[in-house]
Amino acid sequence: MKSSLNGASWVRQMFEEGEVMKRVYGEENVFDFSLGNPNLEPPESLKKALKALADRPIPGMHRYMQNSGYSETRKAIAEYLKEESGLSFEEKHVVMTVGAAGGLNIVLKAILDEGDEVIVPSPYFMEFRFYIENSGGRMRLVDTREDFSLNLSEIEKAIGVKTKAILINSPNNPTGAVYDQGSLEKLGELLKKKSQELGKTLYLITDEAYRRIVFDQIRLPIAFHHYPHTIRVTSHSKDLSLAGERIGYIAVSPLCEEADELISAIIFALRTLGFVNAPALMQRLVAPLQRNSVNIGEYEEKRNLFYSALTSFGYDVVKPQGAFYLFPKALIEDDLAFVKELQLKRILTVPGRGFGKPGYFRIAYAVDKKVIEAALPGFREVAEKHSTGKK
Amino acid sequence: MKSSLNGASWVRQMFEEGEVMKRVYGEENVFDFSLGNPNLEPPESLKKALKALADRPIPGMHRYMQNSGYSETRKAIAEYLKEESGLSFEEKHVVMTVGAAGGLNIVLKAILDEGDEVIVPSPYFMEFRFYIENSGGRMRLVDTREDFSLNLSEIEKAIGVKTKAILINSPNNPTGAVYDQGSLEKLGELLKKKSQELGKTLYLITDEAYRRIVFDQIRLPIAFHHYPHTIRVTSHSKDLSLAGERIGYIAVSPLCEEADELISAIIFALRTLGFVNAPALMQRLVAPLQRNSVNIGEYEEKRNLFYSALTSFGYDVVKPQGAFYLFPKALIEDDLAFVKELQLKRILTVPGRGFGKPGYFRIAYAVDKKVIEAALPGFREVAEKHSTGKK
């Protein structure tokens, strides 16, 4: 355990350095793009639902329920998933969790045996490594293409006898990339072929925490359509801005063979890992809000503003189609040194090495628009310095 | 994972069989003592605090905070612990958790290396085994005495080079036993001596989820006074009747050497096991309620009623001084067969083998008084049957 402390995430380190800087320079003078902490308030519908419950508490509403969560909540989510996918989701396919992070740990505990490998496209959310290793698994990174799309031939090469699952995250943290329908189709075909070749079931785990946050009117493909052994893990941290409340769910595809056994293992892991159940009050609040979300247009506006400005300053950025991250190339090779340069302008970002991609840096822009506007001159000055240097 | 499913707890199995029986016989005709699910409503002060927050939401109150929890909540708890113990607890010694179950998993992850042993007095809360094994540890059970008090000479024999910690739970689930001051003093002495002999720090982990629920005006001893390397894990599931909300905390003794390093490891485990932080809203609600609790007198009244009746029917029961459990001897050797006999009277209990103690059974009496009253004839009939049989 002691040695793992050195691996503690760059995100949290930057976030905490930022807290110190804010005390020194004043909060309004530090431009904090370190942590993906949604700045939008939950929708009014959630506030109203909370007020209604507080005004007229339901007897027993804070007690234990079954480990998998309230029946009504799971039914409401199953209904939504059925509508979205056309597949026959039922209550039993949905398990309420302590956020997506809790959900991922549970799914991995349920499916992994010691030494099993989980393939993760890189750049990747750095906590995945710990989640996989917590259950005795090993993470196998596979680089994405230059535009951060899935590299299917590399994924194919990485699949071997020890592979148990592939864990994808789309829209992606840290890149904002969205995997398109074609790539999910091909991924599904590949997993079917390899499952057959290897004589065992490979799982597709989709971390869809940012599912609702997509731009340019694109429709996110539905992984359930392309591979039967798909397990979706998601949360309401971003779509309802409830990150601190730890409320999410796992949905197992009704097409999954041995779905019942898998779900039993998931519920067992939920219980014995000490989650016990998802927070009761939040389960009630999110049940009727499956079709609600914060105003995604605000995130799109911020992406447009930030992306246009950075490209005009000469930054090399793949235009993200979702989430609330930008992942530009650093203007010098050493991403950590570059992040430190930005820090001198009181701009907090995270070096790409924290996501398995040195030479890049991550900007989390779920902040007030005025923070972005105030930070842009700093980004320009740093860009100008390096452009002069190159001439 | 598949094989572990067979170990799934008897408590949940009985609880779920009970749900089926309730559908068949009607809820009021099934006397469910299977799950320790507090029936009392949270105190009025909590309801008021929830209403105040719902009426006037604080901007950002559902966002991420630091992993260890809100500063104000941790300060309030540290203040309370300081008052209780006279020790110099500060904010940094308190880490907010997703219930006590989450807290225990985190502490064990933070201190255990593969193969380390954790001593657990038996009978014991059966989830401990999973919690310990989740972090690569091994549980070593040590029987308590006939009256369920700590057997210190057996604990001494069990401590060896692989021992890393002892995990005690007082007031105890399943027995309701409370470890007295004398036994904690001796345990502290033993751990000091053994730590020195072994040349390493042994930890005392105290699961104090039932700390506030004690009877007969006894004062629960404070483990922090008797051993410096003490880590308290607790929750507000029982004292504030918030079991479904998953809100608890870890408190590391200020006297613990290397406290800062230990706390860092605890926060790292909290984050990477996927808990991330304790639910935000509940953190706010419990902060000012550290000196509040449900009416403990109601539990004491139920204990008195149940204990007197059972002993008058001829059951052999150690009188519990806390929690809300009775742990009588079964009237036949086979505790599972005995539990089935009670089930025929529509009384749901849990066989002692679920707690490492065959030949006994557990009654969880955090239920309405009228459920206890309605169940007593069934307990009497079963007792009479066996007493006739013996003549």
Side-chain angles (χ1 to χ4, degrees):
Chain A
M1 188 72 189
K2 282 183 185 175
S3 66
S4 315
L5 283 180
N6 304 319
S9 107
W10 285 101
V11 177
R12 287 283 173 173
Q13 186 177 324
M14 292 296 151
F15 177 68
E16 275 158 38
E17 283 183 23
E19 295 298 301
V20 175
M21 285 176 70
K22 284 171 195 171
R23 282 196 287 273
V24 176
Y25 297 106
E27 186 146 359
E28 69 286 4
N29 297 314
V30 178
F31 316 118
D32 187 353
F33 306 108
S34 64
L35 184 63
N37 196 359
N39 68 309
L40 302 180
E41 288 296 320
E44 275 307 310
S45 49
L46 187 122
K47 292 183 191 176
K48 275 185 197 157
L50 177 59
K51 191 163 153 37
L53 260 184
D55 287 345
R56 289 172 299 281
I58 298 165
M61 73 179 189
H62 302 292
R63 303 180 74 192
Y64 287 125
M65 78 297 306
Q66 49 184 340
N67 297 121
S68 53
Y70 288 122
S71 197
E72 307 88 84
T73 307
R74 296 160 65 208
K75 270 183 199 151
I77 293 172
E79 204 51 51
Y80 171 76
L81 291 171
K82 199 170 160 181
E83 190 181 296
E84 182 197 74
S85 67
L87 299 175
S88 55
F89 279 97
E90 296 168 40
E91 174 186 343
K92 70 171 183 179
H93 298 108
V94 177
V95 176
M96 302 308 298
T97 64
V98 175
L104 287 169
N105 271 282
I106 289 163
V107 166
L108 292 163
K109 182 79 173 178
I111 66 170
L112 293 185
D113 289 309
E114 193 71 30
D116 280 349
E117 284 183 3
V118 179
I119 292 173
V120 174
S122 175
Y124 71 105
F125 179 51
M126 59 284 145
E127 302 292 83
F128 286 171
R129 177 185 295 278
F130 300 116
Y131 301 169
I132 293 165
E133 291 176 356
N134 285 338
S135 293
R138 298 172 72 156
M139 182 173 71
R140 176 135 185 191
L141 293 176
V142 174
D143 280 337
T144 52
R145 296 178 186 281
E146 271 294 295
D147 64 355
F148 305 128
S149 63
L150 292 178
N151 189 331
L152 287 149
S153 57
E154 288 302 312
I155 291 172
E156 178 158 15
K157 278 187 226 160
I159 296 175
V161 287
K162 291 197 165 175
T163 309
K164 185 56 102 21
I166 174 165
L167 167 54
I168 62 172
N169 170 223
S170 170
N172 185 263
N173 176 6
T175 65
V178 170
Y179 303 147
D180 67 9
Q181 171 119 1
S183 62
L184 287 195
E185 273 171 21
K186 282 181 204 137
L187 180 62
E189 285 311 313
L190 175 61
L191 292 175
K192 281 176 211 161
K193 188 181 86 174
K194 286 289 179 181
S195 289
Q196 203 155 32
E197 273 177 32
L198 295 166
K200 67 174 185 180
T201 302
L202 297 174
Y203 290 99
L204 172 59
I205 307 169
T206 64
D207 173 353
E208 309 206 21
Y210 300 95
R211 183 167 186 90
R212 292 290 192 83
I213 305 178
V214 289
F215 313 136
D216 308 323
Q217 296 176 298
I218 61 163
R219 279 182 68 90
L220 208 61
I222 293 164
F224 292 126
H225 288 164
H226 305 296
Y227 189 62
H229 308 289
T230 296
I231 306 168
R232 181 189 288 187
V233 181
T234 188
S235 84
H236 292 297
S237 292
K238 280 81 187 187
D239 58 11
L240 297 175
S241 269
L242 294 173
E245 303 295 359
R246 315 311 303 136
I247 182 73
Y249 64 85
I250 295 163
V252 172
S253 172
L255 304 175
C256 191
E257 275 168 54
E258 302 190 333
D260 289 349
E261 198 177 9
L262 175 61
I263 293 161
S264 293
I266 284 171
I267 295 170
F268 179 77
L270 170 83
R271 196 191 93 207
T272 54
L273 288 174
F275 295 101
V276 184
N277 56 248
L281 184 63
M282 288 295 146
Q283 286 194 48
R284 276 189 203 277
L285 294 183
V286 303
L289 302 183
Q290 291 303 308
R291 289 156 194 84
N292 294 49
S293 60
V294 295
N295 180 7
I296 306 303
E298 290 199 36
Y299 288 127
E300 185 159 3
E301 198 190 326
K302 287 168 193 172
R303 180 210 54 175
N304 291 343
L305 167 68
F306 223 147
Y307 174 79
S308 305
L310 291 181
T311 48
S312 78
F313 301 157
Y315 287 87
D316 187 355
V317 200
V318 175
K319 191 175 187 178
Q321 291 200 291
F324 38 60
Y325 303 105
L326 290 157
F327 199 63
K329 268 194 183 138
L331 299 177
I332 51 175
E333 213 182 308
D334 183 343
D335 52 316
L336 184 55
F338 187 73
V339 161
K340 298 266 176 205
E341 280 189 40
L342 288 171
Q343 247 183 20
L344 294 177
K345 306 286 178 189
R346 300 194 303 278
I347 294 170
L348 307 179
T349 61
V350 182
R353 63 185 66 182
F355 307 95
K357 193 77 175 172
Y360 289 73
F361 66 105
R362 189 190 77 170
I363 297 169
Y365 61 80
V367 299
D368 278 350
K369 196 177 160 188
K370 63 175 193 287
V371 178
I372 301 174
E373 288 167 339
L376 290 179
F379 278 105
R380 195 183 46 227
E381 288 160 28
V382 171
E384 278 166 359
K385 180 185 143 198
H386 290 290
S387 123
T388 315
K390 275 182 205 158
K391 276 172 197 165
Chain B
M1 189 71 190
K2 281 181 186 178
S3 66
S4 315
L5 283 180
N6 303 322
S9 107
W10 286 100
V11 177
R12 287 284 173 174
Q13 185 178 324
M14 291 296 150
F15 177 68
E16 276 158 37
E17 283 184 23
E19 295 298 301
V20 175
M21 283 176 70
K22 284 171 194 172
R23 281 196 287 274
V24 175
Y25 297 106
E27 186 146 359
E28 69 287 3
N29 297 314
V30 178
F31 315 118
D32 187 354
F33 306 108
S34 64
L35 185 62
N37 196 359
N39 68 310
L40 302 180
E41 289 296 319
E44 275 308 310
S45 49
L46 187 122
K47 292 184 190 176
K48 275 185 197 158
L50 176 60
K51 191 163 153 35
L53 259 184
D55 287 345
R56 291 173 298 280
I58 298 165
M61 73 179 189
H62 302 292
R63 303 180 74 192
Y64 287 125
M65 78 298 305
Q66 49 185 342
N67 297 121
S68 52
Y70 288 122
S71 197
E72 307 88 84
T73 306
R74 296 160 66 210
K75 271 183 199 151
I77 293 172
E79 203 52 50
Y80 171 76
L81 291 171
K82 201 169 158 180
E83 190 180 296
E84 183 197 73
S85 67
L87 299 175
S88 55
F89 279 97
E90 294 169 39
E91 174 187 344
K92 70 171 184 181
H93 298 108
V94 177
V95 175
M96 301 308 299
T97 64
V98 175
L104 287 169
N105 272 281
I106 290 163
V107 167
L108 292 163
K109 183 79 172 177
I111 66 169
L112 294 185
D113 289 310
E114 193 71 30
D116 281 347
E117 284 183 4
V118 179
I119 292 172
V120 173
S122 175
Y124 70 106
F125 179 50
M126 59 284 146
E127 302 293 82
F128 286 172
R129 177 186 294 278
F130 300 116
Y131 300 169
I132 292 165
E133 290 177 357
N134 284 338
S135 292
R138 298 172 71 157
M139 183 174 70
R140 176 135 185 190
L141 292 176
V142 174
D143 280 338
T144 51
R145 298 178 185 280
E146 271 294 294
D147 63 355
F148 304 129
S149 63
L150 293 177
N151 188 330
L152 287 149
S153 57
E154 288 302 312
I155 292 172
E156 177 159 14
K157 278 188 226 159
I159 296 175
V161 287
K162 291 198 166 174
T163 309
K164 184 57 101 19
I166 174 165
L167 166 53
I168 62 172
N169 170 221
S170 169
N172 184 264
N173 176 5
T175 64
V178 169
Y179 303 148
D180 67 9
Q181 172 119 1
S183 62
L184 287 195
E185 274 171 19
K186 282 181 205 138
L187 180 62
E189 285 311 313
L190 174 62
L191 292 175
K192 279 177 214 162
K193 187 181 86 173
K194 286 289 179 181
S195 289
Q196 202 155 31
E197 272 177 32
L198 295 165
K200 67 175 186 178
T201 301
L202 297 174
Y203 291 99
L204 172 60
I205 308 169
T206 64
D207 173 353
E208 309 206 20
Y210 299 94
R211 182 165 187 90
R212 293 290 191 84
I213 305 177
V214 289
F215 313 137
D216 308 323
Q217 295 176 297
I218 61 163
R219 279 181 68 90
L220 208 60
I222 293 164
F224 291 126
H225 288 164
H226 305 296
Y227 188 62
H229 307 290
T230 296
I231 306 169
R232 180 189 289 188
V233 181
T234 187
S235 85
H236 292 296
S237 292
K238 280 80 187 186
D239 58 11
L240 297 176
S241 269
L242 294 174
E245 304 295 359
R246 314 312 303 136
I247 182 73
Y249 65 85
I250 295 164
V252 171
S253 172
L255 304 176
C256 192
E257 274 167 56
E258 301 190 332
D260 288 349
E261 200 176 8
L262 175 62
I263 294 161
S264 293
I266 284 171
I267 295 171
F268 179 79
L270 169 83
R271 197 190 93 207
T272 54
L273 287 174
F275 295 101
V276 184
N277 56 248
L281 184 63
M282 288 296 147
Q283 286 194 48
R284 276 188 204 278
L285 295 183
V286 303
L289 302 183
Q290 291 303 308
R291 288 156 194 84
N292 293 50
S293 60
V294 296
N295 180 7
I296 305 304
E298 290 200 35
Y299 287 127
E300 185 159 2
E301 197 190 328
K302 287 167 193 172
R303 181 211 53 176
N304 292 342
L305 167 68
F306 223 147
Y307 173 79
S308 305
L310 291 182
T311 47
S312 78
F313 302 156
Y315 287 87
D316 186 356
V317 200
V318 175
K319 190 174 188 179
Q321 291 201 291
F324 38 60
Y325 303 105
L326 290 157
F327 199 63
K329 268 194 183 141
L331 299 175
I332 52 175
E333 212 181 307
D334 183 343
D335 52 316
L336 183 55
F338 188 73
V339 161
K340 298 264 175 208
E341 280 188 40
L342 288 171
Q343 247 183 21
L344 294 177
K345 306 287 178 187
R346 301 194 302 279
I347 293 170
L348 307 179
T349 60
V350 182
R353 64 185 66 181
F355 307 94
K357 192 79 175 171
Y360 289 73
F361 66 104
R362 190 190 77 170
I363 297 170
Y365 61 80
V367 299
D368 279 348
K369 196 176 158 188
K370 62 175 194 285
V371 178
I372 301 174
E373 287 166 339
L376 290 179
F379 279 104
R380 194 182 48 228
E381 289 161 27
V382 172
E384 280 167 357
K385 181 185 144 198
H386 290 290
S387 121
T388 314
K390 277 183 202 158
K391 278 172 197 165

